[in-house]
Amino acid sequence: MRLSLFLLAALLTGCGQPAVGHPAPPPPAPLVTQPWPGVRVEWHAETSQAALDAYARPGGGLTGHVLGTAWMRPDGVCEVHVMFDRLLTPEVSAHEAAHCLAIARRGDWTEPPAEAYVPRYLQACGATVAPLGLPDDRPATCAAPPDL
């Protein structure tokens, strides 16, 4: 009985499970960059996987998590959404930016150009997202990201 009183006291004083339902912080404002001439990219950093999934899969239906998503808006700006902690991950950002480049230059919405671009980007620019126009203190080994 004494143990159950201690357990009850602990729960009442806040040592139990954390409360659920706290809203996530708002995502940072989008950042527009132009990594290649004529290719404008609007970067959106999402703060939850659910928010990213909602942008990547409007209407739902598909299962599993995505790392990022990109699409070309009617105004010619390529909108990219990635998780905030992945925005500075060169592989993810280069992949999504490559979608923007492939869409702008060739109208190609498929995965192969973006997948093939990542190793080329890393070899040319190193492990940094600065050449894509994103803030990054890591040194770049290129002046600009490679073209397709």
Side-chain angles (χ1 to χ4, degrees), residues 4-77:
S4 61
L5 286 176
F6 284 124
L7 182 59
L8 178 61
L11 288 173
L12 291 175
T13 59
C15 293
Q17 294 287 334
V20 293
H22 292 286
L31 175 65
V32 178
T33 68
Q34 191 167 336
W36 303 275
V39 181
R40 291 183 52 217
V41 180
E42 184 177 282
W43 299 91
H44 295 258
E46 300 302 331
T47 56
S48 74
Q49 187 66 53
L52 177 58
D53 287 348
Y55 281 104
R57 299 183 174 114
L62 298 173
T63 59
H65 296 302
V66 295
L67 297 176
T69 187
W71 65 87
M72 191 66 73
R73 297 192 317 226
D75 65 359
V77 174

Side-chain angles (χ1 to χ4, degrees), residues 74-126:
D75 65 359
V77 174
C78 187
E79 188 171 324
V80 172
H81 290 257
V82 295
M83 285 288 291
F84 182 70
D85 62 339
R86 295 182 196 130
L87 185 63
L88 297 180
T89 304
E91 293 84 355
V92 174
S93 293
H95 178 98
E96 297 308 328
H99 277 304
C100 297
L101 183 58
I103 293 166
R105 297 272 161 79
R106 303 185 207 161
D108 189 346
W109 295 78
T110 65
E111 284 296 313
E115 291 170 354
Y117 185 80
V118 172
R120 288 184 40 238
Y121 175 87
L122 292 173
Q123 182 177 14
C125 299

